[in-house]
Amino acid sequence: MRVLIVEDDALHRSYLHEAVRAALPECDDVIEADNGFSGEVQARKARSEHVVMDLQMSERNGIEAARTIWRERPDTKILFWSNYSDEAYVRGVARIVPEGATYGYVLKSTSDERLKLALRSVFIESQCVIDREVRGIQQKSLGNAHGLSDAEYEILVDVALGLTDKAIAQRKKLSLRSVQNRLQQLYEKLDVYHPTGQGGEGWYNLRTRAVAVALSRKVLNSNALERAERDLQEGLKS
Amino acid sequence: MRVLIVEDDALHRSYLHEAVRAALPECDDVIEADNGFSGEVQARKARSEHVVMDLQMSERNGIEAARTIWRERPDTKILFWSNYSDEAYVRGVARIVPEGATYGYVLKSTSDERLKLALRSVFIESQCVIDREVRGIQQKSLGNAHGLSDAEYEILVDVALGLTDKAIAQRKKLSLRSVQNRLQQLYEKLDVYHPTGQGGEGWYNLRTRAVAVALSRKVLNSNALERAERDLQEGLKS
DNA sequence: TTTTGTCTTGCGGGATCCCGCATATTTTGC
DNA sequence: GCAAAATATGCGGGATCCCGCAAGACAAAA
């Protein structure tokens, strides 16, 4: 049994290495990669079926790496290992998990025990393990109230990329007006309407304010934007 | 001699602790805080004159903490210790350093040696130490070309917060037209004008696109936005 | 079938944004 | 001290954005 660790922080990498050795005595080979790209290469070369993946790496982030790994071998078991539980990450991961794949999502702040448990559960038992806190985010984002629907989220991303209504309409194959409707929903859900009781109307440019709020609520993060940007440039070429 | 470590990642914290003990034998007391708030409290309580500070903590980020520490005791020596060298961080630090204060800025990826050297240089020799790479960013941002001037940067922040031209004009005590002029400069420097040779005009909403580009270039980051947002809310109350 | 609800699209208009052009005002270099 | 350059301001207009109103499409509930 072989395990691939993809993590750009040296300290965390060695800690993980340690944890893997301790939790999985049946594992006889641990390989490492310090960024998303080499992670993909290593996974391909070694045909790894077990991967521990950091999200948020500077070179190429974990979600993109995981996406290509899963595209090549959808039965790969991946344990995501992240600092934060931003809604953007949770959404990003959920979006790329293949049908029936087993994966886990644990935070770096969890105890040794939990990490080791997660390692065994995911890699040996083929069981999905999602950290309590992460689950919480998942619930909240889906759970109505202020949670964004997928449609709204997509619009949000396009807006955050800096596209005009017209451009979005074209990309999403909608009328201009529909796009604007979705924008209004978005504005309401994000509470963009003069939340600062103070002052008066017209203080905020709703469009940009929505992005700011989404960022501060961690519904979006720069990581997600990078991915979206790449997808956009990709799509423009065709 | 006492050293305060402010760092929210347990692994890095203990690594730092270790490094401090090794590099500074004359240091007889190391105290720790795992977020910006308790960092401020500890600093006040222990009257620390030597602080190692992580930027980018979830609770309250390092720049805010450093700002209040320096406000209370401007002669405190602070060594910043960060994962990345985003222009936003570099600018943020430069903005709050008091006249004649000694500080350092090293990346987490630097070697043991360099870290220890930096610790001694800053705390013992009272010498400023800025990582090579960080210097690079500093140069680039100041060195005209595509670098933003302070005025432009401020406008950028306000835009990113979601303010309207009118609101910005008021805050900055400028005419509406002047604000729009600065925006145009900003758009040019950020290359917002259909950088995607493809397609045609009118694909981008310049205002939002500028924010997206600034984020992807790390001229801005969510951390800087958080700070700005707080300042904004502060200013609105008065 | 009718009703109710959600979603899409069109029209219209007021506010805002982007920006060219022209005129002050300030800063800079010599 | 003066010319040159940068910056600030005003005016005007075309494009875009935000959104109320209303009509059609489609699906689930009654």
Side-chain angles (χ1 to χ4, degrees):
Chain A
M1 174 172 169
R2 201 198 326 262
V3 172
L4 167 61
I5 293 175
V6 188
E7 157 72 71
D8 67 345
D9 183 301
L11 244 54
H12 288 163
R13 200 163 55 237
S14 72
Y15 169 73
L16 265 184
H17 196 126
E18 194 65 31
V20 168
R21 295 233 95 105
L24 303 167
E26 55 272 76
C27 165
D28 50 26
D29 190 14
V30 179
I31 52 185
E32 304 183 347
D34 69 352
N35 69 65
F37 281 120
S38 84
E40 293 172 13
V41 174
Q42 299 270 31
R44 194 171 305 131
K45 200 165 58 185
R47 305 191 196 296
S48 345
E49 297 189 319
H50 311 92
V51 180
V52 185
M53 174 82 70
D54 185 22
L55 304 172
Q56 176 178 258
M57 291 175 291
S58 47
E59 280 302 319
R60 161 162 254 236
N61 69 58
I63 293 188
E64 288 181 303
R67 184 161 56 175
T68 88
I69 290 176
W70 263 332
R71 194 136 47 196
E72 294 172 8
R73 337 184 89 243
D75 54 339
T76 308
K77 291 160 189 152
I78 304 186
L79 177 62
F80 294 100
W81 164 251
S82 166
N83 262 120
Y84 307 110
S85 54
D86 296 357
E87 187 179 331
Y89 284 136
V90 177
R91 268 202 139 90
V93 169
R95 180 177 297 277
I96 60 161
V97 178
E99 194 70 19
T102 81
Y103 75 102
Y105 190 140
V106 301
L107 297 179
K108 291 191 177 178
S109 55
T110 51
S111 63
D112 275 24
E113 323 307 322
R114 283 165 166 283
L115 172 58
K116 288 178 188 159
L117 207 73
L119 283 167
R120 290 204 69 80
S121 301
V122 174
F123 292 161
I124 309 288
E125 323 275 356
S126 291
Q127 209 179 344
C128 288
V129 175
I130 282 95
D131 232 347
R132 176 170 240 79
E133 196 180 334
V134 177
R135 264 253 173 277
I137 301 287
Q138 237 172 28
Q139 301 303 326
K140 197 172 56 178
S141 74
L142 295 176
N144 47 56
H146 293 278
L148 303 190
S149 72
D150 278 2
E152 287 152 0
Y153 183 74
E154 298 219 337
I155 289 281
L156 171 61
V157 172
D158 282 353
V159 168
L161 285 176
L163 298 174
T164 56
D165 292 3
K166 211 194 306 177
I168 299 177
Q170 203 160 317
R171 264 165 76 74
K172 291 276 150 53
K173 305 233 172 86
L174 287 174
S175 75
L176 220 177
R177 191 60 179 87
S178 295
V179 172
Q180 296 176 332
N181 272 338
R182 281 159 128 105
L183 273 178
Q184 275 183 263
Q185 297 171 227
L186 196 64
Y187 296 154
E188 277 179 30
K189 293 221 185 163
L190 290 178
D191 257 353
V192 169
Y193 299 96
H194 33 101
T196 311
Q198 213 63 19
E201 315 261 325
W203 278 89
Y204 290 123
N205 173 311
L206 301 181
R207 175 169 281 254
T208 344
R209 182 64 183 166
V211 176
V213 171
L215 283 171
S216 87
R217 295 228 190 119
K218 308 295 174 75
V219 175
L220 274 183
N221 59 23
S222 30
N223 222 299
L225 284 184
E226 273 173 44
R227 275 181 283 131
E229 176 76 33
R230 257 188 273 267
D231 287 352
L232 170 64
Q233 300 301 341
E234 203 62 34
L236 282 184
K237 291 203 193 95
S238 57
Chain B
M1 173 171 169
R2 201 199 326 263
V3 172
L4 167 61
I5 294 175
V6 188
E7 157 72 72
D8 66 344
D9 182 301
L11 244 52
H12 288 163
R13 200 165 53 238
S14 71
Y15 169 73
L16 265 184
H17 196 127
E18 192 66 30
V20 168
R21 294 233 97 105
L24 303 167
E26 55 270 77
C27 165
D28 50 26
D29 190 14
V30 179
I31 51 184
E32 304 184 347
D34 68 353
N35 70 64
F37 280 120
S38 83
E40 294 172 12
V41 174
Q42 299 270 32
R44 193 171 306 131
K45 200 164 57 184
R47 305 191 197 297
S48 341
E49 298 188 319
H50 310 91
V51 180
V52 185
M53 173 83 69
D54 185 21
L55 304 173
Q56 174 177 258
M57 293 175 291
S58 47
E59 280 303 318
R60 161 163 256 236
N61 69 58
I63 293 189
E64 287 182 303
R67 184 163 55 175
T68 88
I69 290 176
W70 264 332
R71 193 136 49 195
E72 295 172 9
R73 336 183 92 243
D75 54 339
T76 309
K77 289 163 189 149
I78 304 186
L79 177 62
F80 295 100
W81 164 249
S82 166
N83 263 120
Y84 308 110
S85 55
D86 296 358
E87 186 179 332
Y89 284 135
V90 177
R91 269 203 139 90
V93 169
R95 179 177 300 277
I96 60 162
V97 179
E99 195 69 20
T102 80
Y103 74 103
Y105 191 140
V106 300
L107 297 179
K108 290 191 177 177
S109 55
T110 50
S111 63
D112 274 26
E113 322 308 322
R114 283 165 166 285
L115 171 59
K116 287 176 190 162
L117 206 73
L119 282 168
R120 289 203 71 80
S121 301
V122 174
F123 292 160
I124 308 289
E125 323 275 355
S126 292
Q127 207 178 348
C128 289
V129 174
I130 282 94
D131 232 347
R132 175 171 242 77
E133 197 179 335
V134 178
R135 263 258 173 274
I137 300 287
Q138 239 173 26
Q139 300 304 325
K140 198 171 58 180
S141 74
L142 295 177
N144 41 55
H146 291 277
L148 304 190
S149 72
D150 278 1
E152 286 153 359
Y153 183 75
E154 297 219 337
I155 288 280
L156 172 60
V157 172
D158 282 351
V159 168
L161 285 177
L163 298 173
T164 55
D165 292 2
K166 210 195 306 178
I168 299 175
Q170 203 160 319
R171 266 166 73 74
K172 292 274 150 53
K173 306 231 172 89
L174 287 174
S175 75
L176 220 177
R177 191 59 180 87
S178 296
V179 172
Q180 296 175 331
N181 270 337
R182 277 150 119 116
L183 272 179
Q184 276 182 264
Q185 297 171 225
L186 195 65
Y187 295 154
E188 277 178 31
K189 292 220 185 166
L190 291 178
D191 257 353
V192 168
Y193 299 96
H194 34 104
T196 311
Q198 214 62 21
E201 314 262 325
W203 277 88
Y204 289 122
N205 174 312
L206 301 182
R207 178 168 278 255
T208 341
R209 181 65 183 167
V211 176
V213 172
L215 282 170
S216 86
R217 296 230 190 120
K218 308 297 175 74
V219 174
L220 274 184
N221 60 22
S222 31
N223 222 298
L225 284 184
E226 272 174 44
R227 275 181 284 131
E229 175 77 33
R230 257 188 272 268
D231 288 351
L232 171 64
Q233 300 301 340
E234 204 62 34
L236 282 184
K237 290 202 194 96
S238 56

